[in-house]
Amino acid sequence: MAATRAEPRAREIFTTLEYGPVPESHACALAWLDTQDRHLGHYVNGKWLKPEHRSSVSCQDPITGENLASCLQAQTEDVVAAVEAARTSLENWSLLPGAIRAQHLTRLAKMIQKHQRLLWTLESLVTGRAVREVRDRDVPLAQQLLQYHAVQAYAQEEALAGWEPIGVIGLILPPTFSFLEMMWRICPALAVGCTVVVLVPPASPTSLLLAQLAGELGSFPGILNVISGPAPLWPVLASQPGVQKVAFCGAVEEGRALQRTLAGKGPELGLALGAESLLLLTEAADVDSAVEGVVDAAWSDRSRGGLRLLIQESVWDETMRRLQERMGRLRGGRGLDGAVDMGARGAAAHDLAQRYVREAQSQGAQVFQAGSVPSDSPFFPPTLVSDLLPASPCTQAEVPWPLVVASPFRTAKEALALANGTPRGGSASVWSERLGQALALAYGLRVGTVWINAHGLRDAAVPTGGCKESGSSWHGGPDGLYEYLQPSGTPARLPYLSESLNYDTFGLVVPSTLPAGPETGPSPAPPYGLFVGGRFQAPGARSSRPIWDSQGNLHGYVAEGGAKDIRGAVEAAHQASPSWVGQSPGARAALLCALAAALERRGSTLAARLERHGVELKVAKAEVELSARRLRVWGARVQAQGRTLQVAELRGPVLQLREPLGVLAIVCPDKWPLLALVSLLAPALAHGNTVVLVPSGACPIPALEVCQDMVTLLPAGLVNVVTGDRDHLTRCLALHQDIQALWYFGSAQGSQFVEWASAGNLKPVWVNRGCPRAWDQEAEGAGPELGLRAARTKALWLPMGD
Amino acid sequence: MGGRSGQRVLPWRVRDLSWISKIQVNQPAVLRRAEQIQARRPVKKEWQAAWLLKAVTFIDLTTLSGDDTPSNVQRLCYKAKYPIREDLLKALNVHDKGITTAAVCVYPARVCDAVKALKAAGCDIPVASVATGFPAGQTHLKTRLEEIRLAVEDGASEIDVVINRTLVLTGQWEALYDEIRQFRKACGEAHLKTILATGELGSLTNVYKASMVAMMAGSDFIKTSTGKESVNATFPVAIVMLRAIRDFFWKTGNKVGFKPAGGIRSAKDSLAWLSLIKEELGDEWLKPELFRIGASTLLADIERQIYHHVTGRYAAYHDLPMS
């Protein structure tokens, strides 16, 4: 018999059958840090950049507090260097054939495969997350993302003709999950031909390691640059010349502040905010499976944030019992232990959770904690909060990791009201074995992703994004590609900032207007009033503004709309919304066609109106004709909306739905008073939005003429037209919290104000930065860009099986 | 195990079909859970060795072949008594724990052989017999009941019966309940393990319903499969059965045992099964009275792993005694 090496403990374990530690060795992560002398800089242009005289932050093991390395903090010069590298390589990279870019991404995927142990141990070591989750989900997903986007790059010339890469992308990442969030965004950006500067929070070595792996491929060193630095550098990166788009992933308030800071600075801003998710558990659910869904959502280190849990009252007791029982079996501990469900995320996350729990308790909530988790900080046990009523102040805040806040609902209708009653619109799951009910809830939820009877599934081919305050940017799938593309020929985005613009006073007061003499308009006189709720109404201010024709003669008076009129118009639009959304695309198309026919019947009047504003009669007629065509074209286009995606590792389809935004406000340009209006209105209506519209300021009369047909043809409130002082009306619209999107075509100052003010409810905005647009051209007047902006995507996961 | 029937409150007859009328099991979600649970609780080193030894005590060491004879049944019984080499047990300091397999499981005609062999070996390991037209269950009820009585007469103290799949697939839950009640009565003092043959039940929802009916009718154990179907003990099925066991416990206060059988061959598999029980039901189910593993070749692999744990070497075929 050979010598024994068994420990005496086996006898004891035989009786207790307890779990033991399953430590994952992180020697290779430490060895990699050693190659950098435990001193990490930035990875720029394929080289390590370790400038002198920089402050540094220490990168610690969040659990032991052990000092792993020191990380240099970037300063403006370093940002400049990184952006410069990205700009230099952009020329080369963006002009390459897609196949070459695809090859490069595939090589990076192989590189990750070869060094995956290093990646997962380093990520788990520095973030404290359970290594199982990083190893079995994050790293394979990173490879899948690269492979998926390599395929997209191959197909780019054919599938994405008419689009070109935006340019240099600035990417700003949150402290947790920075590796995966980075992969979701750099893959599509690089695939379509953009180059990237990633600004990671202090002490995020995994992103640097990934940049090094990409850099070691040799070719194209400057396409991916990673620098680490604190929050004050965000606007610095965003306002570097050449940065065309900033993709931000982080907390809601940070995103809001960044949007305000960046108003007028030039780059487009894509926000992905917040981390809370929602789980809706009906009485028709397989409750045990739904409880596993809660574990997936909140207590398995899979998501950044906490979970709001809505449970039907009839199964409340049963669910709570099962949930609490299940919580007792959760294990927390060091992330590098292969047998724990949850690691720890450092002192900040612990304190955030602790504060929320204390506050909830002080507001009368019940708190249940369980699971075998070390009791000392930074570990935080799985926590279930109940009896926190919607009216208590705590409910307004986002639920932090690892908390679940449970509340009851009575009916499916009430569930939707509760679920949609928060400013968040990220992801949600619906648990019901009744297909009809599940689909009704899934379609009714205002979120970016819905899983039916599952939670937290991800795939590179499925777009992930959100609405409302979760931001309206997308990653993954086709939508993720368009984030980094623009219609070919779009001019570079330059700063158009006006330092003198006072946000407090812009458009605040309407200059008073006095009677300017008798109208000399043709007969019949144009209609007078604001077109709100399907009829012409007198403006709240009971005053009017004169409209002059190109000769300087008084053309007529239009109503002077104000804040109250906007409020009324938005209300009317909301009321009209449900029935318009419920119409089939075919029915909507038919109405648009009818409107086109009416436009043609009214053609001569409209042309005459346009002629009075200095448009040549021939051109005016052409404008009317083209406008009618636009209405018909959009009606037809929207018929073929949405698609079904097939996803690896899922039996069943993922539906990519295109849903209306809601109430869309449109401020039309002064030029092309009819064509621009119709070009904007047609895609908006065809996609199921209801509209509040401010017509051309110089020539609003054609818009009012069209309204005469809308009275009879369109449902009341579908389109509302408010005339008046454009700056004032823009202010009212931009500051309105219940408008879901805003398109502004006007002055540079107006654009800047819209960007700033829309941060209030983070509605997606589309502004022209004071630049004219060729509405008569197919690409700018009726291109696919309008369709993309007129609706939002929802990914609906439908796992199947008996 | 003989003393257990004394503790049991007999009969725990409940017949409430409303317990199964509303139930819906979501198969894709259960499949996901099954996949997760196998990766989430690895055990290593001495924990692994201790868990494997524990697994030995859960094994119903089984031979169910057409060519079974007294000699190989006798060999099996000795292996049941001495499942792991004595020196290995000593090295782990568990030689005094009386580690044997939980039972020996044979065809009815071999019960006498097994009882005799175990008596000769001087141990009280119970003999389990399959019955009721195993494995198809497609014989007359009368002969199925007679089979149980004969096996009990021959000395089997545990009876593994198969249910009538026809009744499940046609939704005759009351008839199924009545049949299992009759099995229960025929068993007398012997323990009743009800084989659901889950591979032939069509859906996980049916698995849940059949589990619940079998428990309501008085089964001591519910068992996944005969080992003769094309689909054997799988984790998704087990999760559904374990959830039914827990629901039954919550409703009645009675703990019913669980026995996966068929296809469990490697030591690694057995560890996953143990952690599955621990996660879904808790430690109180991790004892031979409430958990069994039906297996024939599993024991050999466990012994090999323990050999490796103790010696640091991989065993040759001849290092370990055959069963």
Side-chain angles (χ1 to χ4, degrees):
Chain A
M1 179 75 224
T4 64
R5 5 166 260 164
E7 298 76 357
R9 289 221 48 197
R11 186 184 169 90
E12 217 172 285
I13 303 163
F14 180 78
T15 318
T16 61
L17 269 193
E18 64 193 10
Y19 290 118
V22 188
E24 180 96 14
S25 161
H26 57 283
C28 61
L30 295 179
W32 178 75
L33 290 171
D34 284 336
T35 63
Q36 298 298 318
D37 300 324
R38 303 280 178 134
H39 180 67
L40 296 172
H42 316 292
Y43 200 81
V44 172
N45 208 12
K47 291 188 292 284
W48 283 98
L49 180 69
K50 294 183 182 173
E52 296 192 345
H53 312 298
R54 299 281 190 276
S55 60
S56 65
V57 167
S58 87
C59 170
Q60 290 175 333
D61 180 332
I63 290 159
T64 61
E66 179 198 348
N67 207 348
L68 297 171
S70 66
C71 302
L72 288 181
Q73 296 307 290
Q75 286 182 2
T76 308
E77 301 92 296
D78 309 325
V79 178
V80 171
V83 172
E84 192 49 46
R87 282 179 72 174
T88 316
S89 51
L90 177 69
E91 286 164 35
N92 187 6
W93 180 250
S94 62
L95 294 176
L96 283 174
I100 307 279
R101 284 200 298 271
Q103 228 169 31
H104 192 73
L105 292 183
T106 314
R107 284 176 66 204
L108 182 54
K110 292 213 174 107
M111 195 76 166
I112 289 186
Q113 193 186 11
K114 287 172 195 158
H115 300 287
Q116 44 182 313
R117 171 174 288 274
L118 173 56
L119 269 169
W120 83 55
T121 46
L122 182 68
E123 175 73 358
S124 173
L125 175 67
V126 298
T127 60
R129 280 175 63 210
V131 67
R132 163 189 54 74
E133 201 60 23
V134 183
R135 181 190 60 209
D136 300 345
R137 270 176 68 97
D138 292 10
V139 173
L141 184 55
Q143 289 175 58
Q144 193 209 4
L145 278 164
L146 284 163
Q147 274 146 5
Y148 172 82
H149 286 98
V151 173
Q152 304 307 309
Y154 263 119
Q156 187 181 3
E157 279 96 356
E158 203 180 309
L160 296 168
W163 295 85
E164 61 180 19
I166 286 188
V168 175
I169 309 294
L171 175 56
I172 299 169
L173 294 172
T176 42
F177 288 72
S178 55
F179 166 63
L180 201 56
E181 296 290 357
M182 172 171 154
M183 290 307 296
W184 275 109
R185 289 163 181 84
I186 62 167
C187 291
L190 293 177
V192 300
C194 296
T195 57
V196 188
V197 176
V198 187
L199 178 54
V200 292
S204 312
T206 322
S207 304
L208 287 163
L209 168 62
L210 187 83
Q212 190 195 350
L213 290 179
E216 282 171 1
L217 293 176
S219 34
F220 319 114
I223 56 171
L224 177 62
N225 307 282
V226 177
I227 51 180
S228 79
L233 277 183
W234 298 347
V236 175
L237 171 63
S239 47
Q240 286 305 307
V243 174
Q244 295 289 296
K245 168 151 189 160
V246 174
F248 176 85
C249 176
V252 177
E253 287 316 314
E254 291 169 348
R256 208 191 299 278
L258 189 66
Q259 178 166 350
R260 292 204 170 114
T261 320
L262 291 191
K265 294 258 171 71
E268 199 181 307
L269 184 61
L271 298 172
L273 307 176
E276 185 189 288
S277 193
L278 176 85
L279 192 146
L280 220 156
L281 197 162
T282 69
E283 62 185 2
D286 172 356
V287 175
D288 284 309
S289 292
V291 165
E292 290 304 326
V294 176
V295 173
D296 284 346
W299 299 318
S300 60
D301 266 358
R302 187 167 291 184
S303 64
R304 286 211 327 262
L307 180 75
R308 205 168 283 276
L309 171 61
L310 296 178
I311 303 170
Q312 194 149 21
E313 214 170 346
S314 50
V315 288
W316 173 270
D317 290 337
E318 191 195 347
T319 307
M320 288 308 252
R321 179 173 186 183
R322 282 162 205 267
L323 201 51
Q324 292 180 352
E325 163 93 5
R326 180 70 179 87
M327 286 170 75
R329 304 204 196 287
L330 290 166
R331 300 185 74 228
R334 183 164 167 75
L336 281 166
D337 187 323
V340 301
D341 296 302
M342 284 165 57
R345 299 193 185 168
H350 176 272
D351 295 346
L352 186 67
Q354 188 66 270
R355 260 203 310 281
Y356 191 99
V357 165
R358 286 218 184 97
E359 205 182 316
Q361 272 170 326
S362 74
Q363 286 160 19
Q366 298 294 316
V367 173
F368 177 84
Q369 294 181 321
S372 87
V373 178
S375 56
D376 49 333
S377 175
F379 294 102
F380 201 87
T383 304
L384 176 65
V385 179
S386 53
D387 294 339
L388 190 64
L389 302 177
S392 60
C394 208
T395 318
Q396 308 305 315
E398 205 174 66
V399 178
W401 173 89
L403 268 62
V404 172
V405 175
S407 7
F409 67 87
R410 293 171 295 175
T411 61
K413 202 174 158 195
E414 189 176 64
L416 272 186
L418 284 167
N420 289 336
T422 69
R424 289 166 278 279
S427 59
S429 63
V430 173
W431 294 79
S432 169
E433 293 303 310
R434 299 217 312 264
L435 183 63
Q437 182 189 47
L439 285 175
L441 287 168
Y443 274 74
L445 284 167
R446 284 184 170 265
V447 293
T449 305
V450 182
W451 300 280
I452 289 183
N453 294 324
H455 198 105
L457 306 180
R458 305 289 293 271
D459 191 276
V462 180
T464 308
C467 59
K468 297 199 274 188
E469 289 196 356
S470 295
S472 42
S473 74
W474 291 85
H475 45 272
D479 300 68
L481 295 173
Y482 287 115
E483 286 286 314
Y484 304 99
L485 288 168
Q486 61 189 9
S488 300
T490 308
R493 287 176 182 74
L494 300 171
Y496 60 99
L497 180 70
S498 158
E499 296 285 359
S500 61
L501 178 66
N502 184 337
Y503 293 124
D504 294 335
T505 57
F506 175 84
L508 188 61
V509 266
V510 182
S512 49
T513 48
L514 298 169
E519 297 171 53
T520 54
S523 63
Y528 176 82
L530 306 172
F531 182 65
V532 172
R535 58 197 180 87
F536 286 96
Q537 295 182 357
R542 296 289 190 271
S543 61
S544 307
R545 57 192 292 119
I547 300 298
W548 311 93
D549 64 16
S550 58
Q551 308 297 317
N553 297 322
L554 183 66
H555 190 165
Y557 289 99
V558 295
E560 182 77 74
K564 290 213 168 119
D565 303 309
I566 292 290
R567 186 195 67 188
V570 173
E571 267 171 28
H574 272 294
Q575 272 169 16
S577 188
S579 72
W580 185 242
V581 173
Q583 302 256 7
S584 73
R588 286 187 219 138
L591 268 183
L592 290 180
C593 282
L595 191 60
L599 211 68
E600 279 163 347
R601 275 197 301 279
R602 206 177 278 276
S604 55
T605 323
L606 286 167
R609 302 286 195 209
L610 292 170
E611 197 188 2
R612 256 199 94 176
H613 280 269
V615 185
E616 227 179 285
L617 185 62
K618 217 175 87 188
V619 180
K621 279 189 175 154
E623 183 174 345
V624 176
E625 256 172 51
L626 187 54
S627 303
R629 198 157 67 229
R630 290 271 155 91
L631 284 168
R632 294 200 173 98
V633 162
W634 280 108
R637 272 191 198 165
V638 175
Q639 308 269 339
Q641 276 266 309
R643 57 173 128 178
T644 309
L645 304 169
Q646 203 59 52
V647 162
E649 291 176 31
L650 177 81
R651 283 187 63 219
V654 179
L655 306 184
Q656 187 193 351
L657 308 175
R658 293 288 284 164
E659 294 196 335
L661 301 163
V663 174
L664 173 58
I666 302 174
V667 180
C668 297
D670 271 343
K671 294 257 178 70
W672 299 101
L674 180 66
L675 180 61
L677 176 144
V678 171
S679 300
L680 290 165
L681 188 63
L685 292 183
H687 283 89
N689 302 291
T690 54
V691 174
V692 176
L693 184 139
V694 177
S696 157
C699 182
I701 311 269
L704 294 171
E705 294 282 358
V706 177
C707 288
Q708 283 184 304
D709 291 315
M710 293 187 189
V711 173
T712 51
L713 288 173
L714 300 188
L718 178 58
V719 179
N720 304 277
V721 178
V722 181
T723 52
D725 183 75
R726 285 165 57 83
D727 285 352
H728 180 60
L729 296 175
T730 301
R731 181 182 184 89
C732 299
L733 291 170
L735 289 171
H736 201 297
Q737 292 283 104
D738 209 10
I739 288 175
Q740 277 73 45
L742 174 55
W743 295 353
Y744 177 84
F745 292 86
S747 64
Q749 285 207 341
S751 301
Q752 186 185 337
F753 180 83
V754 164
E755 288 192 323
W756 177 84
S758 297
N761 68 344
L762 289 165
K763 54 177 151 298
V765 293
W766 182 21
V767 299
N768 69 333
R769 304 147 202 266
C771 303
R773 199 175 165 91
W775 294 103
D776 55 335
Q777 301 297 310
E778 193 59 24
E780 295 200 357
E785 185 187 12
L786 283 103
L788 279 180
R789 291 190 187 263
R792 61 184 163 78
T793 297
K794 179 190 273 178
L796 176 53
W797 294 69
L798 288 164
M800 60 187 194
D802 176 28
Chain B
M1 268 118 274
R4 198 179 142 255
S5 53
Q7 313 162 2
R8 200 177 67 208
V9 194
L10 257 179
W12 65 49
R13 189 151 50 104
V14 251
R15 189 177 183 195
D16 187 349
L17 290 181
S18 76
W19 290 4
I20 61 167
S21 59
K22 276 204 295 184
I23 193 74
Q24 280 293 330
V25 178
N26 189 283
Q27 187 242 17
V30 171
L31 293 190
R32 273 197 306 279
R33 169 72 175 147
E35 215 169 277
Q36 285 173 2
I37 210 163
Q38 295 174 65
R40 290 211 169 163
R41 296 286 185 268
V43 278
K44 302 279 182 212
K45 300 199 174 146
E46 60 262 49
W47 283 268
Q48 192 179 64
W51 279 52
L52 286 175
L53 287 172
K54 198 73 183 182
V56 169
T57 68
F58 296 142
I59 293 177
D60 277 2
L61 198 59
T62 304
T63 180
L64 293 170
S65 308
D67 58 0
D68 283 341
T69 63
S71 74
N72 79 316
V73 169
Q74 193 184 14
R75 273 210 308 271
L76 189 80
C77 290
Y78 272 81
K79 189 66 183 173
K81 167 87 163 110
Y82 304 106
I84 306 286
R85 246 168 57 174
E86 185 73 11
D87 54 339
L88 299 177
L89 294 179
K90 273 199 178 123
L92 289 163
N93 192 24
V94 287
H95 51 285
D96 55 349
K97 290 276 188 184
I99 293 175
T100 65
T101 67
V104 170
C105 183
V106 292
Y107 268 124
R110 301 271 73 79
V111 170
C112 281
D113 301 335
V115 169
K116 208 160 75 186
L118 286 169
K119 195 176 272 174
C123 64
D124 57 355
I125 298 175
V127 173
S129 167
V130 296
T132 69
F134 183 93
Q138 298 282 21
T139 57
H140 291 291
L141 180 59
K142 204 171 166 190
T143 54
R144 280 186 274 153
L145 291 170
E146 197 53 33
E147 220 181 326
I148 297 176
R149 287 187 200 107
L150 292 171
V152 174
E153 262 172 41
D154 281 352
S157 52
E158 301 183 2
I159 306 291
D160 290 24
V161 301
V162 291
I163 61 161
N164 187 339
R165 275 81 99 188
T166 314
L167 297 178
V168 173
L169 293 171
T170 54
Q172 303 179 61
W173 300 108
E174 297 210 22
L176 179 66
Y177 175 87
D178 292 337
E179 263 197 29
I180 301 174
R181 279 305 301 165
Q182 294 188 52
F183 295 160
R184 167 76 267 169
K185 280 187 196 130
C187 283
E189 279 296 293
H191 283 188
L192 174 65
K193 302 204 203 103
T194 307
I195 305 174
L196 303 179
T198 53
E200 294 177 353
L201 295 188
S203 72
L204 291 182
T205 306
N206 274 351
V207 169
Y208 184 94
K209 290 181 175 177
S211 306
M212 203 44 116
V213 170
M215 288 186 287
M216 286 195 285
S219 307
D220 297 285
F221 269 83
I222 50 176
K223 176 173 166 185
T224 57
S225 34
T226 59
K228 310 283 183 193
E229 296 106 47
S230 54
V231 181
N232 289 311
T234 63
F235 278 87
V237 159
I239 287 171
V240 172
M241 291 172 73
L242 293 174
R243 285 174 181 173
I245 289 174
R246 188 194 49 202
D247 289 351
F248 187 77
F249 172 61
W250 280 356
K251 281 180 204 278
T252 66
N254 284 311
K255 291 179 184 162
V256 174
F258 174 68
K259 176 176 173 187
I264 305 171
R265 295 197 180 86
S266 72
K268 200 176 163 214
D269 286 350
S270 68
L271 291 176
W273 281 98
L274 257 63
S275 70
L276 175 69
I277 304 298
K278 194 172 161 81
E279 289 299 304
E280 288 285 327
L281 291 175
D283 288 341
E284 59 269 47
W285 257 267
L286 281 174
K287 48 188 177 188
E289 292 87 342
L290 289 171
F291 178 55
R292 298 284 180 83
I293 299 173
S296 37
T297 54
L298 169 66
L299 183 55
D301 193 50
I302 290 182
E303 198 175 6
R304 224 175 349 258
Q305 295 302 326
I306 289 179
Y307 181 95
H308 176 246
H309 176 79
V310 171
T311 64
R313 297 156 196 248
Y314 291 102
Y317 176 73
H318 58 257
D319 279 330
L320 302 168
M322 71 179 288
S323 60

